[in-house]
Amino acid sequence: MNNEAIKLIVSLLFSLFIAFSSLEYFYILPILLVLFYEQKNLIKIFKKLFLLNFFILTLVLFVAFQDHKMAIELFFRTNLILLFNITIFYKSKGYDIVRGFNTLKVSPKFISIFYFTICLIEYLLKEFKNIKTSLKSRGFKAQTSMFVYQTFGNIFAMMFIKAIKKSEDMRLSMIARGFNSQIFLLETNKVSIKDILVLFCVGIIILIKVYI
């Protein structure tokens, strides 16, 4: 899928529909379609889903104490939504989602906040990788000792300080440039056959459920 706006639309429609309607076997069709498009990355996609399931299982187990049937249904609903969204946004780095919001004429302030949040996260991830590489080159090993705990504490404190400093630098930079809460982005409104098919497939399952 190439069109960011359509990705956001189908993601919202599919997620809301799965969350608030009774489960049906044909809900799997859009998922199979997007998985087919990303067949080269299936292992990585399911690996991400597997990792996220550690958090889901915690919630499911909590619900299971009260209602087993609801817990099973919650597990399937959550995994269907996650699998669909992980697949369609698998190659996304965040900035294309910003362009999608911009195409859909979402509030400029929201787009700006989303954009700068992605910038900050990207910066912090880069800094964390640099710190990790530095520790590895010095022979650091994660063990259960006070030195290791202190090192991790220092790293988190450093990351927190870097985040504050970076956000302040970004704020001052935008003020100096006369920023008025709106970011102007290059838009790519090309709609591919894949986009149309996924949108059509999601639309069909909604119509089937509502009218049949």
Side-chain angles (χ1 to χ4, degrees):
M1 296 180 69
N2 300 320
N3 191 283
E4 296 85 5
I6 291 180
K7 283 183 182 180
L8 290 170
I9 291 170
V10 296
S11 172
L12 179 63
L13 288 175
F14 185 81
S15 300
L16 288 175
F17 200 69
I18 293 294
F20 297 107
S21 67
S22 57
L23 292 175
E24 301 288 350
Y25 67 92
F26 52 81
Y27 288 175
I28 198 74
L29 293 177
I31 297 175
L32 292 176
L33 182 59
V34 293
L35 284 173
F36 175 74
Y37 292 152
E38 295 292 341
Q39 55 187 299
K40 293 181 180 179
N41 301 306
L42 286 180
I43 295 175
K44 293 179 180 178
I45 289 170
F46 280 100
K47 186 178 179 181
K48 282 190 175 183
L49 181 66
F50 178 76
L51 291 173
L52 288 170
N53 264 276
F54 282 107
F55 301 100
I56 296 169
L57 286 172
T58 304
L59 177 61
V60 169
L61 288 172
F62 178 76
V63 176
F65 286 111
Q66 301 178 18
D67 191 332
H68 295 288
K69 186 178 179 181
M70 185 183 292
I72 294 170
E73 190 174 319
L74 176 64
F75 177 77
F76 281 109
R77 285 181 190 276
T78 310
N79 274 280
L80 286 172
I81 293 170
L82 280 175
L83 183 56
F84 184 78
N85 285 286
I86 289 171
T87 307
I88 62 173
F89 292 112
Y90 179 73
K91 294 178 181 177
S92 171
K93 292 185 178 179
Y95 297 104
D96 53 343
I97 298 175
V98 176
R99 286 195 294 272
F101 281 128
N102 190 55
T103 303
L104 295 172
K105 307 301 179 185
V106 177
S107 169
K109 287 187 178 181
F110 174 81
I111 293 172
S112 299
I113 292 170
F114 198 86
Y115 176 82
F116 288 121
T117 301
I118 292 171
C119 289
L120 189 58
I121 290 172
E122 191 176 54
Y123 167 78
L124 291 175
L125 285 174
K126 185 178 178 181
E127 287 296 317
F128 182 74
K129 286 179 181 178
N130 291 337
I131 293 171
K132 188 177 178 181
T133 303
S134 176
L135 289 173
K136 194 173 182 180
S137 65
R138 295 175 185 179
F140 176 80
K141 293 182 180 180
Q143 298 173 344
T144 53
S145 66
M146 287 303 298
F147 173 74
V148 172
Y149 296 148
Q150 186 178 7
T151 302
F152 282 132
N154 291 336
I155 291 171
F156 289 130
M158 190 188 305
M159 294 295 292
F160 182 71
I161 293 169
K162 282 180 178 289
I164 294 174
K165 186 177 184 303
K166 181 65 175 177
S167 61
E168 183 64 16
D169 290 344
M170 289 170 67
R171 186 182 72 85
L172 294 174
S173 176
M174 290 297 102
I175 291 173
R177 295 174 184 178
F179 180 65
N180 63 347
S181 302
Q182 184 173 3
I183 295 176
F184 297 94
L185 302 165
L186 294 174
E187 294 185 17
T188 54
N189 293 319
K190 293 181 180 179
V191 179
S192 67
I193 188 66
K194 292 180 180 180
D195 299 316
I196 295 171
L197 286 174
V198 174
L199 184 59
F200 178 77
C201 190
V202 172
I204 285 295
I205 67 165
I206 293 174
L207 290 174
I208 291 173
K209 182 63 179 178
V210 172
Y211 294 105
I212 297 178

